[in-house]
Amino acid sequence: MQITVKLFALMREKVGTDTIYLELPDHADILQALTVLQCQHPSLAPYLDNSRFALQMEFVSPETTLQAGDELALIPPVSGGISCLKSPQSQ
Amino acid sequence: MFKVTTEPIDIQAVNDLVKRPTDGAVVTFDGIVRNNFDGRAVHALEYEAYADMAEKKMAQIGREVRQKFPIGEIAMRHRLGRLAIGESSIVIAVAAPHRHEAFEACAYAMDRVKEEVPIWKKEFFNDGDDHWVNQN
């Protein structure tokens, strides 16, 4: 079955695209999809451990079973809004 | 009420969006681009989003905040693309009958955005280097 993988930020830059079409065995789960993905795109390997996963725009666990046509987004640590670096001296 | 945009954020418009006659307070948080990060001088930022999910998560956070605090309306805008120092990257406006809840709800909403919303920031340093926050 085929799924679509969406990439963002650093992972998108490493691979050079924001969309990858992945061929997977039926009933594969996200962990299995990541194994296939890493094989095809080794540059993603260091970033997968820190990623969350979204299916149809909801966060899901890596054990989630995939279906044909799913859109799997790899969500690196987010950094929206403004920075708030706490100074070591803050009381 | 919850949008990402590549246009400069009209803060007064977001503030006006949430007001109801029953409100006594509107707290509007304006998150602006700072000129330094981790001790290094920054000249620009870029924000990237999984846009549809970002709006969905902002709306979910809005519902969560309204359940948790006795407030009226809440609205959020997050800017995407390249921003200069001092520009608004995020605006959150919360209206409530009373100011205490409006302040608390707005702070809580900002904390939740930083945890949950699929938006990423790239810092561009004065020395020519650049860096995706939390990803290297």
Side-chain angles (χ1 to χ4, degrees), chain A residues 80-83, chain B residues 5-11 29-36 42-47 77-92 121-124:
Chain A
I82 39 76
S83 306
Chain B
T5 175
T6 51
E7 298 297 315
I9 301 172
D10 181 346
I11 297 165
F29 172 73
D30 181 8
I32 58 177
V33 175
R34 197 172 66 222
N35 69 355
N36 67 89
V42 168
H43 69 87
L45 288 188
E46 236 172 56
Y47 284 96
R77 293 286 180 277
H78 202 301
R79 178 109 177 260
L80 302 180
R82 183 168 281 227
L83 279 71
I85 307 305
E87 290 198 272
S88 298
S89 62
I90 182 169
V91 172
I92 301 177
K121 171 168 63 185
K122 189 173 188 179
E123 306 262 353
F124 290 84

mmCIF file of all heavy atoms in Angstrom, chain A residues 80-83, chain B residues 5-11 29-36 42-47 77-92 121-124:
data_model
loop_
_atom_site.group_PDB
_atom_site.id
_atom_site.type_symbol
_atom_site.label_atom_id
_atom_site.label_comp_id
_atom_site.label_asym_id
_atom_site.label_seq_id
_atom_site.Cartn_x
_atom_site.Cartn_y
_atom_site.Cartn_z
ATOM 1 N N GLY A 80 7.102 27.062 17.851
ATOM 2 C CA GLY A 80 6.258 28.198 17.517
ATOM 3 C C GLY A 80 6.288 29.229 18.614
ATOM 4 O O GLY A 80 6.845 29.014 19.698
ATOM 5 N N GLY A 81 5.690 30.357 18.350
ATOM 6 C CA GLY A 81 5.640 31.426 19.331
ATOM 7 C C GLY A 81 7.012 32.040 19.513
ATOM 8 O O GLY A 81 7.859 31.988 18.628
ATOM 9 N N ILE A 82 7.249 32.564 20.704
ATOM 10 C CA ILE A 82 8.501 33.287 20.934
ATOM 11 C C ILE A 82 9.401 32.472 21.842
ATOM 12 O O ILE A 82 8.959 31.542 22.491
ATOM 13 C CB ILE A 82 8.243 34.687 21.524
ATOM 14 C CG1 ILE A 82 7.108 34.635 22.544
ATOM 15 C CG2 ILE A 82 7.855 35.652 20.436
ATOM 16 C CD1 ILE A 82 7.382 34.081 23.869
ATOM 17 N N SER A 83 10.685 32.820 21.849
ATOM 18 C CA SER A 83 11.652 32.106 22.683
ATOM 19 C C SER A 83 11.568 32.597 24.104
ATOM 20 O O SER A 83 11.294 33.761 24.352
ATOM 21 C CB SER A 83 13.073 32.356 22.199
ATOM 22 O OG SER A 83 13.176 32.043 20.856
ATOM 23 N N THR B 5 -0.796 32.851 9.021
ATOM 24 C CA THR B 5 -0.840 33.827 7.931
ATOM 25 C C THR B 5 0.561 34.251 7.542
ATOM 26 O O THR B 5 1.463 34.270 8.379
ATOM 27 C CB THR B 5 -1.655 35.074 8.350
ATOM 28 O OG1 THR B 5 -1.572 36.043 7.306
ATOM 29 C CG2 THR B 5 -1.117 35.703 9.635
ATOM 30 N N THR B 6 0.738 34.585 6.280
ATOM 31 C CA THR B 6 2.029 35.132 5.859
ATOM 32 C C THR B 6 1.998 36.660 5.880
ATOM 33 O O THR B 6 3.008 37.304 5.628
ATOM 34 C CB THR B 6 2.387 34.658 4.440
ATOM 35 O OG1 THR B 6 1.285 34.901 3.577
ATOM 36 C CG2 THR B 6 2.710 33.178 4.431
ATOM 37 N N GLU B 7 0.840 37.231 6.164
ATOM 38 C CA GLU B 7 0.699 38.696 6.215
ATOM 39 C C GLU B 7 1.046 39.214 7.605
ATOM 40 O O GLU B 7 0.863 38.500 8.600
ATOM 41 C CB GLU B 7 -0.754 39.104 5.903
ATOM 42 C CG GLU B 7 -1.224 38.709 4.521
ATOM 43 C CD GLU B 7 -0.412 39.420 3.449
ATOM 44 O OE1 GLU B 7 -0.194 40.638 3.582
ATOM 45 O OE2 GLU B 7 0.013 38.738 2.504
ATOM 46 N N PRO B 8 1.520 40.460 7.732
ATOM 47 C CA PRO B 8 1.735 41.039 9.062
ATOM 48 C C PRO B 8 0.442 40.987 9.881
ATOM 49 O O PRO B 8 -0.648 41.203 9.341
ATOM 50 C CB PRO B 8 2.121 42.488 8.751
ATOM 51 C CG PRO B 8 2.692 42.439 7.377
ATOM 52 C CD PRO B 8 1.933 41.358 6.649
ATOM 53 N N ILE B 9 0.578 40.678 11.159
ATOM 54 C CA ILE B 9 -0.597 40.494 12.016
ATOM 55 C C ILE B 9 -1.134 41.858 12.445
ATOM 56 O O ILE B 9 -0.394 42.712 12.937
ATOM 57 C CB ILE B 9 -0.234 39.656 13.254
ATOM 58 C CG1 ILE B 9 0.293 38.278 12.826
ATOM 59 C CG2 ILE B 9 -1.458 39.493 14.164
ATOM 60 C CD1 ILE B 9 0.857 37.444 13.964
ATOM 61 N N ASP B 10 -2.444 42.051 12.255
ATOM 62 C CA ASP B 10 -3.115 43.277 12.700
ATOM 63 C C ASP B 10 -3.592 43.041 14.134
ATOM 64 O O ASP B 10 -4.635 42.428 14.369
ATOM 65 C CB ASP B 10 -4.294 43.569 11.763
ATOM 66 C CG ASP B 10 -5.042 44.843 12.143
ATOM 67 O OD1 ASP B 10 -4.847 45.361 13.264
ATOM 68 O OD2 ASP B 10 -5.844 45.312 11.320
ATOM 69 N N ILE B 11 -2.801 43.511 15.081
ATOM 70 C CA ILE B 11 -3.053 43.199 16.486
ATOM 71 C C ILE B 11 -4.379 43.784 16.958
ATOM 72 O O ILE B 11 -5.137 43.128 17.688
ATOM 73 C CB ILE B 11 -1.896 43.719 17.350
ATOM 74 C CG1 ILE B 11 -0.622 43.000 16.955
ATOM 75 C CG2 ILE B 11 -2.174 43.501 18.825
ATOM 76 C CD1 ILE B 11 0.615 43.653 17.457
ATOM 77 N N PHE B 29 -1.660 39.167 23.970
ATOM 78 C CA PHE B 29 -0.236 38.873 24.019
ATOM 79 C C PHE B 29 0.335 39.057 22.628
ATOM 80 O O PHE B 29 -0.178 38.512 21.643
ATOM 81 C CB PHE B 29 0.016 37.440 24.501
ATOM 82 C CG PHE B 29 1.455 37.046 24.375
ATOM 83 C CD1 PHE B 29 2.403 37.570 25.239
ATOM 84 C CD2 PHE B 29 1.873 36.187 23.384
ATOM 85 C CE1 PHE B 29 3.741 37.235 25.112
ATOM 86 C CE2 PHE B 29 3.212 35.832 23.256
ATOM 87 C CZ PHE B 29 4.141 36.368 24.111
ATOM 88 N N ASP B 30 1.430 39.827 22.542
ATOM 89 C CA ASP B 30 2.091 40.090 21.264
ATOM 90 C C ASP B 30 3.491 39.507 21.366
ATOM 91 O O ASP B 30 4.339 40.049 22.075
ATOM 92 C CB ASP B 30 2.122 41.599 21.032
ATOM 93 C CG ASP B 30 2.761 41.978 19.712
ATOM 94 O OD1 ASP B 30 3.050 41.080 18.889
ATOM 95 O OD2 ASP B 30 2.965 43.191 19.488
ATOM 96 N N GLY B 31 3.738 38.366 20.711
ATOM 97 C CA GLY B 31 5.059 37.747 20.726
ATOM 98 C C GLY B 31 5.877 38.307 19.581
ATOM 99 O O GLY B 31 5.505 38.134 18.415
ATOM 100 N N ILE B 32 6.978 38.982 19.905
ATOM 101 C CA ILE B 32 7.738 39.681 18.868
ATOM 102 C C ILE B 32 9.125 39.065 18.697
ATOM 103 O O ILE B 32 9.656 38.421 19.607
ATOM 104 C CB ILE B 32 7.846 41.186 19.167
ATOM 105 C CG1 ILE B 32 8.517 41.423 20.523
ATOM 106 C CG2 ILE B 32 6.467 41.822 19.106
ATOM 107 C CD1 ILE B 32 8.714 42.879 20.853
ATOM 108 N N VAL B 33 9.714 39.298 17.556
ATOM 109 C CA VAL B 33 11.015 38.719 17.236
ATOM 110 C C VAL B 33 12.114 39.467 17.975
ATOM 111 O O VAL B 33 12.257 40.681 17.850
ATOM 112 C CB VAL B 33 11.272 38.778 15.708
ATOM 113 C CG1 VAL B 33 12.682 38.274 15.392
ATOM 114 C CG2 VAL B 33 10.232 37.962 14.970
ATOM 115 N N ARG B 34 12.899 38.719 18.740
ATOM 116 C CA ARG B 34 13.974 39.273 19.539
ATOM 117 C C ARG B 34 15.263 39.243 18.740
ATOM 118 O O ARG B 34 15.437 38.386 17.859
ATOM 119 C CB ARG B 34 14.117 38.437 20.806
ATOM 120 C CG ARG B 34 14.907 39.109 21.931
ATOM 121 C CD ARG B 34 14.825 38.297 23.205
ATOM 122 N NE ARG B 34 15.494 37.024 23.040
ATOM 123 C CZ ARG B 34 15.036 35.868 23.484
ATOM 124 N NH1 ARG B 34 13.880 35.812 24.109
ATOM 125 N NH2 ARG B 34 15.707 34.770 23.297
ATOM 126 N N ASN B 35 16.215 40.144 19.062
ATOM 127 C CA ASN B 35 17.428 40.257 18.253
ATOM 128 C C ASN B 35 18.553 39.341 18.716
ATOM 129 O O ASN B 35 19.686 39.488 18.283
ATOM 130 C CB ASN B 35 17.936 41.704 18.228
ATOM 131 C CG ASN B 35 18.485 42.151 19.577
ATOM 132 O OD1 ASN B 35 18.410 41.428 20.570
ATOM 133 N ND2 ASN B 35 19.022 43.350 19.620
ATOM 134 N N ASN B 36 18.237 38.382 19.639
ATOM 135 C CA ASN B 36 19.303 37.475 20.050
ATOM 136 C C ASN B 36 18.699 36.139 20.465
ATOM 137 O O ASN B 36 17.527 36.054 20.845
ATOM 138 C CB ASN B 36 20.133 38.071 21.199
ATOM 139 C CG ASN B 36 19.332 38.192 22.477
ATOM 140 O OD1 ASN B 36 19.274 37.273 23.292
ATOM 141 N ND2 ASN B 36 18.659 39.317 22.651
ATOM 142 N N VAL B 42 20.847 37.881 16.306
ATOM 143 C CA VAL B 42 19.954 37.369 15.261
ATOM 144 C C VAL B 42 19.479 38.539 14.403
ATOM 145 O O VAL B 42 19.149 39.595 14.941
ATOM 146 C CB VAL B 42 18.734 36.679 15.926
ATOM 147 C CG1 VAL B 42 17.630 36.379 14.921
ATOM 148 C CG2 VAL B 42 19.178 35.416 16.632
ATOM 149 N N HIS B 43 19.408 38.358 13.072
ATOM 150 C CA HIS B 43 18.867 39.455 12.249
ATOM 151 C C HIS B 43 17.517 39.110 11.620
ATOM 152 O O HIS B 43 16.816 40.010 11.133
ATOM 153 C CB HIS B 43 19.879 39.915 11.191
ATOM 154 C CG HIS B 43 20.128 38.901 10.112
ATOM 155 N ND1 HIS B 43 19.364 38.807 8.972
ATOM 156 C CD2 HIS B 43 21.068 37.932 9.992
ATOM 157 C CE1 HIS B 43 19.827 37.830 8.201
ATOM 158 N NE2 HIS B 43 20.867 37.282 8.801
ATOM 159 N N ALA B 44 17.137 37.837 11.634
ATOM 160 C CA ALA B 44 15.818 37.476 11.087
ATOM 161 C C ALA B 44 15.420 36.098 11.597
ATOM 162 O O ALA B 44 16.260 35.328 12.087
ATOM 163 C CB ALA B 44 15.854 37.470 9.555
ATOM 164 N N LEU B 45 14.128 35.818 11.481
ATOM 165 C CA LEU B 45 13.609 34.483 11.801
ATOM 166 C C LEU B 45 12.759 34.018 10.635
ATOM 167 O O LEU B 45 12.212 34.832 9.895
ATOM 168 C CB LEU B 45 12.654 34.549 13.000
ATOM 169 C CG LEU B 45 13.147 34.797 14.396
ATOM 170 C CD1 LEU B 45 11.983 34.601 15.357
ATOM 171 C CD2 LEU B 45 14.260 33.853 14.747
ATOM 172 N N GLU B 46 12.630 32.700 10.509
ATOM 173 C CA GLU B 46 11.673 32.154 9.557
ATOM 174 C C GLU B 46 10.823 31.131 10.273
ATOM 175 O O GLU B 46 11.355 30.311 11.011
ATOM 176 C CB GLU B 46 12.423 31.462 8.416
ATOM 177 C CG GLU B 46 12.072 32.000 7.046
ATOM 178 C CD GLU B 46 12.974 31.427 5.973
ATOM 179 O OE1 GLU B 46 13.023 30.197 5.873
ATOM 180 O OE2 GLU B 46 13.609 32.214 5.273
ATOM 181 N N TYR B 47 9.525 31.202 10.061
ATOM 182 C CA TYR B 47 8.615 30.209 10.638
ATOM 183 C C TYR B 47 8.036 29.363 9.521
ATOM 184 O O TYR B 47 7.617 29.866 8.489
ATOM 185 C CB TYR B 47 7.465 30.900 11.381
ATOM 186 C CG TYR B 47 7.845 31.470 12.726
ATOM 187 C CD1 TYR B 47 8.182 32.806 12.865
ATOM 188 C CD2 TYR B 47 7.854 30.655 13.853
ATOM 189 C CE1 TYR B 47 8.518 33.327 14.107
ATOM 190 C CE2 TYR B 47 8.187 31.175 15.101
ATOM 191 C CZ TYR B 47 8.520 32.516 15.213
ATOM 192 O OH TYR B 47 8.856 33.025 16.433
ATOM 193 N N ARG B 77 -3.301 34.333 16.169
ATOM 194 C CA ARG B 77 -2.736 34.434 14.832
ATOM 195 C C ARG B 77 -1.262 34.096 14.936
ATOM 196 O O ARG B 77 -0.560 34.629 15.798
ATOM 197 C CB ARG B 77 -2.853 35.867 14.281
ATOM 198 C CG ARG B 77 -4.254 36.341 14.001
ATOM 199 C CD ARG B 77 -4.829 35.701 12.757
ATOM 200 N NE ARG B 77 -6.179 36.163 12.497
ATOM 201 C CZ ARG B 77 -7.273 35.668 13.069
ATOM 202 N NH1 ARG B 77 -7.175 34.681 13.929
ATOM 203 N NH2 ARG B 77 -8.450 36.166 12.772
ATOM 204 N N HIS B 78 -0.775 33.227 14.047
ATOM 205 C CA HIS B 78 0.663 32.963 13.990
ATOM 206 C C HIS B 78 1.152 33.302 12.592
ATOM 207 O O HIS B 78 0.583 32.851 11.589
ATOM 208 C CB HIS B 78 0.982 31.499 14.330
ATOM 209 C CG HIS B 78 2.389 31.288 14.798
ATOM 210 N ND1 HIS B 78 3.474 31.624 14.025
ATOM 211 C CD2 HIS B 78 2.879 30.808 15.968
ATOM 212 C CE1 HIS B 78 4.581 31.354 14.708
ATOM 213 N NE2 HIS B 78 4.250 30.854 15.886
ATOM 214 N N ARG B 79 2.200 34.086 12.531
ATOM 215 C CA ARG B 79 2.761 34.512 11.255
ATOM 216 C C ARG B 79 3.747 33.457 10.756
ATOM 217 O O ARG B 79 4.497 32.864 11.531
ATOM 218 C CB ARG B 79 3.478 35.850 11.459
ATOM 219 C CG ARG B 79 4.154 36.408 10.225
ATOM 220 C CD ARG B 79 3.446 37.596 9.686
ATOM 221 N NE ARG B 79 4.203 38.111 8.554
ATOM 222 C CZ ARG B 79 5.015 39.135 8.618
ATOM 223 N NH1 ARG B 79 5.162 39.789 9.779
ATOM 224 N NH2 ARG B 79 5.674 39.529 7.567
ATOM 225 N N LEU B 80 3.767 33.244 9.446
ATOM 226 C CA LEU B 80 4.714 32.298 8.840
ATOM 227 C C LEU B 80 5.608 33.054 7.867
ATOM 228 O O LEU B 80 5.292 34.156 7.431
ATOM 229 C CB LEU B 80 3.961 31.194 8.096
ATOM 230 C CG LEU B 80 2.984 30.367 8.920
ATOM 231 C CD1 LEU B 80 2.322 29.313 8.037
ATOM 232 C CD2 LEU B 80 3.677 29.707 10.103
ATOM 233 N N GLY B 81 6.734 32.405 7.505
ATOM 234 C CA GLY B 81 7.649 33.040 6.563
ATOM 235 C C GLY B 81 8.720 33.818 7.314
ATOM 236 O O GLY B 81 8.957 33.610 8.500
ATOM 237 N N ARG B 82 9.369 34.732 6.614
ATOM 238 C CA ARG B 82 10.494 35.454 7.195
ATOM 239 C C ARG B 82 10.030 36.708 7.918
ATOM 240 O O ARG B 82 9.243 37.479 7.379
ATOM 241 C CB ARG B 82 11.504 35.829 6.110
ATOM 242 C CG ARG B 82 12.735 36.524 6.682
ATOM 243 C CD ARG B 82 13.840 36.623 5.660
ATOM 244 N NE ARG B 82 14.554 35.344 5.550
ATOM 245 C CZ ARG B 82 15.864 35.211 5.547
ATOM 246 N NH1 ARG B 82 16.620 36.265 5.635
ATOM 247 N NH2 ARG B 82 16.420 34.034 5.431
ATOM 248 N N LEU B 83 10.551 36.882 9.154
ATOM 249 C CA LEU B 83 10.196 38.043 9.966
ATOM 250 C C LEU B 83 11.454 38.799 10.393
ATOM 251 O O LEU B 83 12.490 38.188 10.652
ATOM 252 C CB LEU B 83 9.453 37.620 11.242
ATOM 253 C CG LEU B 83 7.962 37.327 11.135
ATOM 254 C CD1 LEU B 83 7.690 36.038 10.390
ATOM 255 C CD2 LEU B 83 7.352 37.249 12.528
ATOM 256 N N ALA B 84 11.346 40.099 10.476
ATOM 257 C CA ALA B 84 12.452 40.932 10.952
ATOM 258 C C ALA B 84 12.322 41.183 12.455
ATOM 259 O O ALA B 84 11.268 40.932 13.045
ATOM 260 C CB ALA B 84 12.454 42.259 10.195
ATOM 261 N N ILE B 85 13.416 41.686 13.048
ATOM 262 C CA ILE B 85 13.414 41.995 14.482
ATOM 263 C C ILE B 85 12.247 42.929 14.809
ATOM 264 O O ILE B 85 12.005 43.890 14.081
ATOM 265 C CB ILE B 85 14.746 42.663 14.897
ATOM 266 C CG1 ILE B 85 15.952 41.820 14.468
ATOM 267 C CG2 ILE B 85 14.781 42.925 16.407
ATOM 268 C CD1 ILE B 85 15.939 40.407 14.951
ATOM 269 N N GLY B 86 11.527 42.600 15.871
ATOM 270 C CA GLY B 86 10.434 43.467 16.317
ATOM 271 C C GLY B 86 9.087 43.137 15.713
ATOM 272 O O GLY B 86 8.057 43.596 16.203
ATOM 273 N N GLU B 87 9.048 42.318 14.663
ATOM 274 C CA GLU B 87 7.744 41.967 14.086
ATOM 275 C C GLU B 87 7.024 40.962 14.974
ATOM 276 O O GLU B 87 7.654 40.189 15.686
ATOM 277 C CB GLU B 87 7.920 41.387 12.673
ATOM 278 C CG GLU B 87 8.371 42.425 11.650
ATOM 279 C CD GLU B 87 8.105 41.957 10.227
ATOM 280 O OE1 GLU B 87 8.961 41.278 9.652
ATOM 281 O OE2 GLU B 87 7.015 42.290 9.701
ATOM 282 N N SER B 88 5.704 40.937 14.884
ATOM 283 C CA SER B 88 4.895 40.019 15.686
ATOM 284 C C SER B 88 4.884 38.651 15.028
ATOM 285 O O SER B 88 4.523 38.529 13.860
ATOM 286 C CB SER B 88 3.467 40.529 15.800
ATOM 287 O OG SER B 88 3.429 41.777 16.445
ATOM 288 N N SER B 89 5.261 37.616 15.784
ATOM 289 C CA SER B 89 5.184 36.257 15.257
ATOM 290 C C SER B 89 3.895 35.591 15.705
ATOM 291 O O SER B 89 3.330 34.783 14.981
ATOM 292 C CB SER B 89 6.378 35.423 15.696
ATOM 293 O OG SER B 89 6.398 35.299 17.103
ATOM 294 N N ILE B 90 3.438 35.918 16.901
ATOM 295 C CA ILE B 90 2.190 35.336 17.385
ATOM 296 C C ILE B 90 1.411 36.365 18.197
ATOM 297 O O ILE B 90 2.013 37.161 18.928
ATOM 298 C CB ILE B 90 2.428 34.055 18.219
ATOM 299 C CG1 ILE B 90 1.101 33.436 18.665
ATOM 300 C CG2 ILE B 90 3.315 34.364 19.435
ATOM 301 C CD1 ILE B 90 1.221 32.046 19.257
ATOM 302 N N VAL B 91 0.114 36.387 18.009
ATOM 303 C CA VAL B 91 -0.764 37.232 18.812
ATOM 304 C C VAL B 91 -1.876 36.354 19.360
ATOM 305 O O VAL B 91 -2.494 35.600 18.612
ATOM 306 C CB VAL B 91 -1.350 38.390 17.984
ATOM 307 C CG1 VAL B 91 -2.422 39.145 18.767
ATOM 308 C CG2 VAL B 91 -0.245 39.339 17.535
ATOM 309 N N ILE B 92 -2.073 36.434 20.675
ATOM 310 C CA ILE B 92 -3.182 35.718 21.317
ATOM 311 C C ILE B 92 -4.014 36.747 22.069
ATOM 312 O O ILE B 92 -3.475 37.486 22.893
ATOM 313 C CB ILE B 92 -2.677 34.656 22.311
ATOM 314 C CG1 ILE B 92 -1.794 33.633 21.610
ATOM 315 C CG2 ILE B 92 -3.861 33.965 22.992
ATOM 316 C CD1 ILE B 92 -1.190 32.577 22.551
ATOM 317 N N LYS B 121 10.730 27.199 13.989
ATOM 318 C CA LYS B 121 11.394 28.477 13.837
ATOM 319 C C LYS B 121 12.850 28.267 13.461
ATOM 320 O O LYS B 121 13.533 27.422 14.039
ATOM 321 C CB LYS B 121 11.293 29.234 15.170
ATOM 322 C CG LYS B 121 12.098 30.491 15.259
ATOM 323 C CD LYS B 121 11.710 31.292 16.485
ATOM 324 C CE LYS B 121 12.001 30.550 17.761
ATOM 325 N NZ LYS B 121 11.503 31.322 18.927
ATOM 326 N N LYS B 122 13.304 29.035 12.483
ATOM 327 C CA LYS B 122 14.712 29.003 12.087
ATOM 328 C C LYS B 122 15.303 30.373 12.401
ATOM 329 O O LYS B 122 14.743 31.401 12.007
ATOM 330 C CB LYS B 122 14.805 28.729 10.591
ATOM 331 C CG LYS B 122 16.207 28.456 10.093
ATOM 332 C CD LYS B 122 16.130 28.023 8.636
ATOM 333 C CE LYS B 122 17.477 27.562 8.145
ATOM 334 N NZ LYS B 122 17.406 27.125 6.737
ATOM 335 N N GLU B 123 16.424 30.364 13.146
ATOM 336 C CA GLU B 123 17.089 31.618 13.509
ATOM 337 C C GLU B 123 18.192 31.909 12.494
ATOM 338 O O GLU B 123 18.946 31.000 12.118
ATOM 339 C CB GLU B 123 17.732 31.490 14.899
ATOM 340 C CG GLU B 123 16.782 31.037 16.003
ATOM 341 C CD GLU B 123 16.246 32.183 16.832
ATOM 342 O OE1 GLU B 123 16.716 33.314 16.630
ATOM 343 O OE2 GLU B 123 15.365 31.951 17.670
ATOM 344 N N PHE B 124 18.301 33.158 12.059
ATOM 345 C CA PHE B 124 19.372 33.578 11.154
ATOM 346 C C PHE B 124 20.287 34.520 11.930
ATOM 347 O O PHE B 124 19.888 35.605 12.336
ATOM 348 C CB PHE B 124 18.796 34.277 9.922
ATOM 349 C CG PHE B 124 18.060 33.328 9.017
ATOM 350 C CD1 PHE B 124 16.734 33.001 9.243
ATOM 351 C CD2 PHE B 124 18.718 32.726 7.948
ATOM 352 C CE1 PHE B 124 16.064 32.095 8.424
ATOM 353 C CE2 PHE B 124 18.050 31.827 7.115
ATOM 354 C CZ PHE B 124 16.722 31.514 7.348
#
